[in-house]
């Protein structure tokens, strides 16, 4: 049930409607008159671009504007401002420049968050480039200079260069942030010691459109110079009073001009190198308030432009006190409580869909204030506030707080102040007039590099106990449109910090690289102890899903993101997780407080692909730390990405949205993992050593089943880290396959909560899995598995764990090491192929039918016998040979329109398995 109320003060009325929503995002619709149960496909969403909000944050590629413009004009972090009169400008917040200004159409909505805004599984993003008519542009250099105008190195200024993807040095200029004042944006930054406020706008004279830049300058202790426009191949120039002209064309019939509005004033337009239109700002002890106007048009209208410059006037509003609230309405939703059927269940906080603005709401992260209020950030770039989070979740109050972010995926609330991490950097939000809506979007930190590569995500941010932040940056993967050169298989060069973890200082002004060599890292941190963890995304150079304990200076094995030349050793993970268990991992969270029962103090790992949560167990008693994971079984209606403990109720809240191929078909959800007080049967302790494996549990165990070694199945295998996507499974001797180890005996500890499994032949190995069939003392069946890594196999002190009278002589009895499935006769059948399709998580990337939405791989229906066209232009018929090759060597032939996203199943699937999968695919032919 969702209750939607629009509060409009000028009407003095309250409209209330009741409609039915399903348990997960996008299941309802209302028009304020009727109640209609519905699904996501019929939800009415508005445009990604909102009327009334002055900008979106975006990257832009303006390299192909024509010969009169700079040829290297790329920008990763810009505000694409709507100026009225069908005019627009991209302000580059790294270089404090107008990258490009144009008329006509706004930027096409082709970035990842934009193409998937209504088409939820559309991953066919592109690079944003102009579809309108360019009027003004500058190149990849600072928009302001100190003491002398920018002239460039004219010997190579016309060469195409790669941006540094970093902000200009702070002592030369620094972006401070943007004030949102109604449908206007006031930009603030420093140039040297000068404080600058700028109101971009547009104006009309005759039938022409011009761009205005209203400035306020303070503390100008040195002359500063604005580079307003660059005109290449200019055929003449002229400075006439307060106006400077650069002429185009052999007949000088087109002109780009920079003027100063009004009479008198202290700003002076200038021309440098017959190529740059600049404006000199003098030293002044007083504030300067003047407006620069820039125009490109026919030279015959020069007089009209000059007349406008004499009479025109632009006033900057009193922005520092805050502007009018952009979003006054409130949306009420009613959550859905799960019955207390297990120790841990997931309640759902119904999302504010539909809402008065017809905005999509794909929650990426959640944070909490000290009083239990929450805030979420969405992938479309909005920040919402949530009140009414109590035990029953019956009266959730949603209000909009901020907008305009560039694909943000992290929010942190520190001392009750909201910080958002997107591609623009870390932004601190201020509600200046306390009307419930942010007015000032402060640049807390943009010291991290950021390229325009679509997969160089601003992936994660966590707040450290000392007041600093850690951030994780995605690797610049080569599975989408690119702006930088390819470097290594599956990667582009991007910035020099892609695939890295950085520490951002308490004041946001400094960064420190902590670790490199990652493909798609996401973070977790203990809010009190500061223990930093990370996962990585399986793919090229990453054989399976790892969880790491992050240490400064570590390198994690992805060569294209090493960013160092000292050939470091690859740091081992805490644990690996098999592909079929978690093929796409995200972040981690620690359960602090004492309200989550057996999970108190635990590290929780989030899986996007599965989706779901894992309890992570750490064996730190050895010289080398190692760990493992067990699934927290619950209902997860959408991908689980990030989470945090509510300081009031002590429960874990989980946010996530779908896009990249999860087993879940839900689009987004905000969940509460709640402890019910019922018994938990999860593993809670782990140790691996020479004698075998010790597993502790939350519940007392049935002695008879615990003492039966036949109730345990033990497997192990290694991975191979190569440039290929993922890895097959390999035995200890390097041949393909998995090994099944014999459990020689099993023992129950004195407290009846721990089991020792004696396993002959224990050794260091990347992946082990213990499957168990047990029962608790209360009779509850416990059939599950535990996956772990053995980084060091040392002698274990068994008595300290409560095990006495252990017959260690059994370890000396030679036990067979059996290749997986050699002891089983597999019946080749389509049904067995379907079982493999589900068990190996193939269904997350391939449809049994014709569905392509949200799928990384081609659909299977009608695949057999069809002609397959590949990215290299070759083709083949999908027969038995092709299907086998695609399973064992998936990177050899990539179907056109798809990327390399599939690991090898060498050593995982047997010949009968592959034959069964082939039969299953054959059976789908219609």
């Amino acid at each position: 049930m969702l209750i939607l109320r629009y509060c409009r003060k000028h009407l003095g009325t309250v409209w209330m409607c009741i409609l039915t929503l399903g348990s997960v995002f996008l299941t309802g619709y209302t028009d304020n008159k009727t109640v209609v149960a519905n699904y996501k496909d019929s939800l009415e969403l508005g445009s990604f671009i909102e009327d009334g909000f002055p900008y979106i944050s975006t990257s832009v590629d303006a390299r192909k504007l024509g010969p009169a413009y700079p040829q290297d004009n790329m920008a990763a972090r810009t505000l694409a401002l709507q100026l009225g009169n069908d005019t627009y400008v991209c302000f580059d917040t790294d270089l404090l420049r107008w990258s490009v200004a144009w008329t006509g159409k706004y930027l096409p909505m082709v970035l990842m968050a934009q193409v998937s805004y209504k088409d939820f599984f559309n991953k066919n993003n592109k690079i944003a480039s102009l579809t309108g008519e360019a009027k003004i542009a500058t190149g990849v250099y600072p928009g302001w200079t100190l003491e002398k105008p920018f002239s460039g190195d004219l010997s190579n200024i016309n060469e195409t260069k790669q941006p540094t993807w970093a902000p200009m040095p702070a002592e030369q200029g620094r972006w401070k942030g943007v004030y949102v004042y109604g449908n206007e944006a006031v930009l603030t930054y420093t140039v040297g010691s000068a404080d600058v406020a700028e109101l971009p706008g547009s104006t009309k004279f005759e039938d022409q459109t011009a761009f205005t830049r209203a400035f306020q300058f303070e503390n100008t202790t040195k002359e500063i110079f604005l580079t307003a426009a660059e005109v290449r191949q200019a055929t003449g120039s002229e400075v006439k009073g307060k106006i400077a002209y650069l002429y185009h064309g052999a007949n000088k019939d087109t002109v780009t001009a920079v003027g100063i509005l009004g009479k008198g004033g202290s700003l002076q337009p200038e021309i440098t190198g017959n190529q740059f239109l600049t404006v000199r700002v003098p030293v002044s002890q007083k504030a300067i308030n003047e407006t620069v106007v820039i125009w490109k048009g026919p030279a015959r209208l020069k007089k009209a432009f000059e007349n406008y410059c004499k009479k025109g006037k632009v006033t900057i509003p009193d922005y520092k006190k805050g502007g009018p609230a952009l979003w006054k309405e409130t949306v009420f939703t009613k959550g859905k409580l799960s019955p207390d059927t297990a120790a841990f269940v997931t309640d759902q906080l119904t999302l504010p869909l539909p809402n008065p603005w017809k905005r999509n709401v794909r929650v990426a992260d959640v944070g909490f204030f000290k009083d239990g209020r929450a805030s979420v950030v969405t992938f479309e770039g909005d920040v919402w506030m949530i009140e009414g989070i109590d035990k029953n979740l019956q009266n959730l109050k949603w209000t909009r707080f901020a907008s305009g972010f560039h694909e943000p995926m992290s929010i942190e609330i520190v001392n009750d102040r909201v910080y958002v991490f997107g591609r623009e950097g870390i932004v601190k939000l201020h509600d200046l007039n306390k009307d419930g809506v942010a007015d000032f979007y402060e640049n807390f930190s943009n010291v991290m590099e950021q390229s325009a590569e679509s997969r160089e995500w601003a992936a994660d941010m966590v707040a450290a106990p000392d007041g600093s932040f850690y951030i994780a940056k995605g690797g610049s993967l080569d599975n989408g449109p690119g702006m930088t050169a390819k470097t290594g298989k599956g990667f582009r060069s991007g910035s020099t910090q892609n695939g890295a973890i950085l520490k951002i200082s308490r004041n946001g002004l400094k960064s420190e690289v902590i670790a490199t060599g990652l493909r798609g890292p996401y973070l977790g941190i203990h809010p009190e102890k500061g223990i930093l963890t990370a996962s990585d995304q399986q793919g090229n150079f990453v054989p399976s899903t790892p969880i790491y304990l992050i240490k400064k200076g570590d390198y994690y094995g992805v060569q294209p993101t090493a960013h160092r030349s000292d050939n470091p050793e690859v740091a081992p993970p805490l644990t690996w997780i098999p592909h079929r268990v978690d093929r796409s991992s995200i972040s981690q969270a620690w359960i602090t407080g004492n309200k989550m029962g057996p999970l108190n103090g635990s590290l929780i790992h989030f899986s996007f692909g599965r989706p779901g949560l894992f309890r992570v167990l750490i064996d730190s008693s050895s010289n080398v730390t190692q760990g493992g994971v067990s699934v927290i079984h619950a209902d997860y209606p959408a991908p689980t990405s990030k989470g945090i403990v509510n300081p009031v109720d002590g429960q874990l809240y989980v946010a996530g949205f779908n896009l990249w191929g999860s087993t879940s078909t839900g689009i987004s959800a905000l969940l509460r993992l709640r402890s019910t007080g019922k018994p938990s049967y999860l593993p809670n302790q782990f140790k691996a050593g020479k004698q075998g494996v010790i597993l502790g549990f939350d519940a007392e165990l049935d002695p008879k089943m615990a003492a039966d070694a036949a109730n345990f199945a033990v497997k192990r295998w290694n991975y191979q880290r190569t440039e290929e996507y993922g890895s097959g499974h390999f035995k200890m001797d390097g041949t393909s396959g998995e090994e099944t180890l014999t459990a020689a005996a099993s023992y129950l500890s004195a407290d009846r909560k721990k089991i020792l499994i004696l396993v002959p032949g224990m050794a260091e190995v990347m992946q082990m899995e213990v499957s168990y069939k047990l029962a608790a003392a209360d009779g509850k069946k416990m059939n599950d598995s535990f996956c772990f890594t053995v980084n060091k196999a040392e002698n274990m002190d068994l008595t300290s764990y409560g095990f006495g009278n252990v017959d260690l002589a059994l370890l000396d009895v030679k036990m067979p090491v059996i290749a997986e499935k050699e002891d089983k006769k597999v019946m080749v059948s389509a049904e067995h192929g379907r079982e493999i399709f589900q068990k190996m998580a193939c269904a997350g990337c391939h449809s049994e039918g014709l569905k392509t939405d949200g799928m990384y791989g081609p659909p299977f229906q009608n695949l057999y016998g069809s002609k397959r066209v590949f990215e290299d232009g070759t083709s083949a018929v999908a027969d038995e040979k092709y299907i086998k090759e695609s399973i064992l060597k998936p990177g050899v032939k990539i179907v056109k329109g798809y990327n390399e996203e599939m690991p090898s199943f060498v050593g995982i699937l047997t010949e009968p398995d592959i034959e069964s999968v082939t039969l299953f695919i054959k059976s789908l032919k219609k």
Side-chain angles (χ1 to χ4, degrees):
M1 181 74 69
L2 179 149
I3 301 174
L4 176 63
R5 184 173 66 187
Y6 292 30
C7 303
R8 304 189 199 283
K9 294 181 180 179
H10 64 282
L11 292 178
T13 330
V14 176
W15 296 349
M16 183 173 290
C17 299
I18 300 176
L19 59 142
T20 302
L21 270 182
S23 62
V24 74
F25 169 20
L26 301 179
T27 57
Y29 173 79
T30 181
D31 59 2
N32 288 326
K33 294 178 182 179
T34 59
V35 176
V36 180
N38 216 318
Y39 293 93
K40 59 178 182 277
D41 293 337
S42 57
L43 182 75
E44 184 180 355
L45 294 174
S47 170
F48 186 91
I49 307 164
E50 277 198 283
D51 290 336
F53 196 80
Y55 65 86
I56 62 169
S57 300
T58 183
S59 56
V60 66
D61 183 356
R63 290 177 291 181
K64 298 179 180 179
L65 303 180
Y69 297 97
Q71 304 299 299
D72 59 354
N73 190 2
M74 296 179 281
R77 298 194 278 216
T78 78
L79 302 183
L81 296 144
Q82 303 180 72
L83 306 181
N85 301 311
D86 291 327
T87 60
Y88 316 94
V89 65
C90 279
F91 181 82
D92 182 342
T93 58
D94 278 341
L95 298 178
L96 307 181
R97 68 184 179 108
W98 277 31
S99 168
V100 59
W102 72 99
T103 60
K105 295 182 179 180
Y106 196 43
L107 288 176
M109 296 295 101
V110 295
L111 302 185
M112 186 67 79
Q114 297 162 0
V115 297
S116 61
Y117 181 70
K118 294 182 181 180
D119 187 3
F120 309 125
F121 295 104
N122 186 345
K123 298 180 290 291
N124 296 316
N125 62 299
K126 299 178 182 178
I127 298 171
S129 56
L130 265 61
T131 55
E133 182 181 359
K135 296 292 185 180
I136 303 158
T138 59
V140 185
Y141 44 77
W144 292 85
T145 52
L146 302 174
E147 300 186 278
K148 61 180 180 180
F150 175 79
S151 60
D153 181 354
L154 297 182
S155 65
N156 65 4
I157 190 65
N158 291 317
E159 294 179 4
T160 299
K161 301 182 295 297
Q162 190 78 259
T164 62
W165 306 118
M168 61 192 290
E171 63 273 15
Q172 297 178 23
R174 182 177 186 272
W175 171 241
K176 292 171 64 178
V178 56
Y179 290 83
V180 174
Y181 195 91
N183 63 354
E184 295 182 311
V186 178
L187 317 178
T188 60
Y189 46 92
T190 59
V191 179
S193 63
D195 292 307
V196 182
E198 174 185 349
L199 175 65
S202 68
T203 189
K204 301 283 286 188
F205 66 92
E206 298 283 342
D207 62 345
Q208 298 293 295
T209 301
F211 298 87
T212 59
R213 303 180 69 172
F215 288 109
Q216 291 178 346
F217 299 98
E218 295 180 349
N219 304 317
T220 48
T221 58
K222 295 181 179 179
E223 281 190 335
I224 59 177
F225 291 81
L226 166 68
T227 302
E230 180 183 350
V231 178
R232 299 191 175 183
Q233 301 179 10
T235 53
S237 62
E238 177 186 11
V239 177
K240 186 177 179 182
K242 291 288 184 176
I243 302 176
Y245 296 100
L246 277 174
Y247 295 95
H248 314 236
N251 299 322
K252 299 182 181 180
D253 52 1
T254 302
V255 67
T256 299
V258 174
I260 310 299
L261 291 189
K263 299 179 180 179
S266 57
L267 303 189
Q268 180 57 52
E270 299 177 350
I271 293 173
T272 305
N274 202 43
Q275 191 163 334
F276 302 95
L277 288 164
T278 61
V279 177
R280 178 173 56 85
V281 182
V283 174
S284 177
Q285 296 180 349
K286 297 181 179 181
I288 299 174
N289 293 274
E290 296 187 37
T291 298
V292 173
V293 58
I294 314 168
W295 165 65
K296 178 186 176 183
R300 59 182 174 77
L301 293 178
K302 282 174 50 181
K303 187 64 176 178
F305 177 68
E306 292 166 3
N307 289 336
Y308 169 75
C309 289
K310 294 176 183 178
K311 300 176 181 178
K313 184 178 181 181
V314 178
T315 303
I316 298 180
D318 189 6
Y319 59 91
K320 291 185 179 180
K321 295 180 180 180
L326 294 176
W327 311 289
K328 298 179 181 179
E329 295 85 353
T330 299
V331 181
F332 290 89
T333 75
K334 182 178 179 181
K336 180 184 178 183
L337 298 183
S338 174
D340 295 352
T341 54
F344 306 102
V345 297
T346 52
D347 302 324
Q348 298 177 27
L349 286 72
T350 305
L351 301 181
L353 283 162
N355 55 65
W357 311 278
K358 298 182 179 180
R359 291 293 284 174
N360 203 342
V361 183
R362 294 176 290 175
V363 289
D365 196 8
V366 58
F368 280 94
F369 297 91
K370 296 175 183 177
D371 62 4
R373 290 177 298 122
S375 185
V376 298
V377 66
T378 71
F379 190 52
E380 33 278 342
D382 299 330
V383 176
W384 293 73
M385 297 293 185
I386 315 171
E387 297 181 34
I389 300 175
D390 57 16
K391 179 179 179 180
N392 295 320
L393 305 178
Q394 298 302 289
N395 192 34
L396 300 173
K397 178 183 177 182
W398 296 74
T399 54
R400 289 185 66 184
F401 185 64
S403 190
F405 291 96
H406 189 181
E407 296 177 348
M409 288 196 248
S410 302
I411 190 168
E412 287 286 341
I413 299 175
V414 180
N415 296 323
D416 278 359
R417 304 305 291 267
V418 178
Y419 297 79
V420 174
F421 180 42
R423 289 175 179 265
E424 57 270 89
I426 303 175
V427 176
K428 184 178 181 181
L429 295 171
H430 301 263
D431 179 4
L432 302 176
N433 52 15
K434 308 302 180 185
D435 63 357
V437 176
D439 304 288
F440 181 40
Y441 295 55
E442 176 192 352
N443 171 34
F444 174 78
S445 182
N446 65 344
V447 295
M448 69 293 294
E449 296 177 11
Q450 179 64 57
S451 83
E453 292 298 339
S454 60
R455 297 309 196 274
E456 192 177 322
W457 308 113
D460 211 349
M461 171 182 69
V462 293
D466 64 0
S468 63
F469 293 91
Y470 289 95
I471 64 169
K473 290 181 52 56
S476 298
L477 308 185
D478 180 27
N479 57 356
M483 295 176 71
T484 61
K486 294 185 179 182
T487 169
K489 188 170 184 179
F491 286 83
R492 292 181 179 271
S493 60
S495 78
T496 63
Q497 293 175 348
N498 83 87
I501 297 171
L502 288 77
K503 184 176 184 179
I504 307 300
S505 63
R506 294 180 63 179
N507 62 7
L509 299 178
K510 295 180 180 180
S511 67
E512 176 185 13
V513 175
I514 300 299
T516 63
L518 295 149
R519 182 176 183 269
Y522 290 85
L523 303 175
I525 194 168
H526 195 292
E528 298 160 2
K529 300 178 182 179
I531 301 169
L532 186 65
T533 59
S535 67
D536 205 358
Q537 290 284 315
Q538 178 191 45
N540 303 95
F541 301 94
V542 184
S544 198
T545 293
I547 300 176
Y548 296 108
L549 287 174
I550 300 299
K551 297 178 182 178
K552 184 178 177 181
D554 274 354
Y555 163 67
Y556 293 109
V558 178
Q559 295 174 13
T561 64
H563 310 306
R564 50 195 291 184
S565 57
D566 57 346
N567 194 28
E569 290 187 5
V570 177
L574 174 69
T575 186
W576 294 99
I577 307 175
H579 170 85
R580 60 178 167 76
V581 177
D582 180 14
R583 71 178 185 276
S584 180
S585 63
I586 302 287
S587 64
Q588 301 84 48
W590 289 87
I591 304 296
T592 53
N594 60 359
K595 297 181 180 180
M596 284 294 286
L599 286 183
N600 291 336
S602 294
L603 175 62
I604 306 299
H605 171 69
F606 294 67
S607 169
F608 177 93
R610 187 182 179 91
L613 306 183
F614 293 82
R615 188 184 203 175
V616 182
L617 302 183
I618 301 174
D619 172 14
S620 57
S621 61
S622 303
N623 291 330
V624 179
T625 304
Q626 52 201 19
V629 298
S630 59
V631 177
I632 301 174
H633 295 283
D635 178 29
Y636 303 105
T640 49
S641 299
K642 300 184 180 182
I644 191 171
V645 172
N646 182 336
V648 173
D649 68 17
Q651 307 301 291
L652 179 66
Y653 287 72
V654 179
F657 69 97
N658 211 339
L659 176 57
W660 295 285
S662 171
T663 301
S664 168
T665 58
I667 306 302
S668 185
L670 180 61
L671 306 175
R672 174 173 66 189
L673 183 72
R674 174 168 54 86
S675 173
T676 66
K678 287 184 174 293
S680 169
Y681 305 96
L682 288 171
N684 64 8
Q685 191 175 6
F686 154 72
K687 185 168 180 61
K690 285 187 176 180
Q691 297 95 323
V693 180
I694 295 174
L695 281 180
F697 291 86
D698 289 331
E700 289 189 14
L701 302 173
D702 174 83
K704 183 177 180 180
M705 296 194 72
D708 186 352
N711 288 328
F712 302 93
V714 184
K715 295 192 297 184
R716 70 181 177 191
W717 63 89
N718 281 313
Y719 301 108
Q720 291 183 356
R721 188 191 291 273
T722 70
E723 67 176 8
E724 300 302 324
Y725 194 101
S727 171
H729 293 182
F730 298 90
K731 292 181 283 188
M732 302 294 278
D733 62 5
T735 59
S736 62
E738 301 170 347
E739 295 176 353
T740 296
L741 305 181
T742 301
S746 60
Y747 296 86
L748 186 63
S749 64
D751 65 1
R752 297 191 173 189
K753 286 190 171 183
K754 293 185 288 293
I755 287 178
L756 166 65
I757 310 167
L758 285 186
V759 182
M762 286 288 291
E764 288 79 18
V765 69
M766 297 174 79
Q767 193 75 74
M768 287 192 74
E769 181 180 34
V770 171
S771 298
Y772 52 86
K773 294 181 179 180
L774 298 171
D778 63 7
K780 173 71 175 180
K781 299 295 183 183
M782 298 166 57
N783 299 334
D784 215 326
S785 63
F786 182 76
C787 300
F788 58 98
T789 292
V790 183
N791 288 321
K792 190 72 173 178
E794 299 175 331
N795 276 317
M796 299 187 291
D797 181 3
L798 301 181
T799 57
S800 67
Y801 289 91
F803 297 103
N805 300 319
V806 177
D807 186 2
L808 295 179
L810 292 172
L811 293 173
D812 297 326
V813 177
K814 189 171 181 63
M815 297 287 184
V817 176
I818 307 167
E820 177 67 5
K821 294 188 179 180
E822 281 185 1
D823 59 337
K824 299 179 183 179
K825 289 292 185 181
V826 175
M827 295 296 295
V828 175
S829 68
E831 185 56 35
H832 179 58
R834 182 186 295 275
E835 291 173 359
I836 293 172
F837 178 75
Q838 297 296 334
K839 180 182 177 181
M840 294 298 168
C842 308
C845 295
H846 299 276
S847 165
E848 293 185 42
L850 299 174
K851 179 184 176 183
T852 57
D853 288 352
M855 298 295 174
Y856 275 117
F860 279 179
Q861 184 174 317
N862 298 328
L863 183 150
Y864 185 82
S866 67
K867 180 181 178 180
R868 316 304 285 168
V869 179
F870 307 118
E871 283 290 333
D872 62 2
T874 62
S875 64
V877 173
D879 55 13
E880 287 84 353
K881 180 181 178 181
Y882 166 79
I883 292 173
K884 181 177 181 178
E885 181 183 56
S886 297
I887 292 172
L888 300 180
K889 299 179 180 179
V892 173
K893 294 183 176 71
I894 305 298
V895 175
K896 188 173 181 61
Y898 292 89
N899 297 302
E900 185 181 1
E901 301 277 1
M902 179 176 166
S904 168
F905 284 85
V906 166
I908 304 171
L909 299 184
T910 64
E911 284 294 330
D913 290 337
I914 295 172
E915 291 175 24
S916 294
V917 171
T918 304
L919 287 177
F920 169 61
I921 293 174
K922 281 184 177 182
S923 74
L924 299 175
K925 189 174 180 63
K926 301 295 183 182

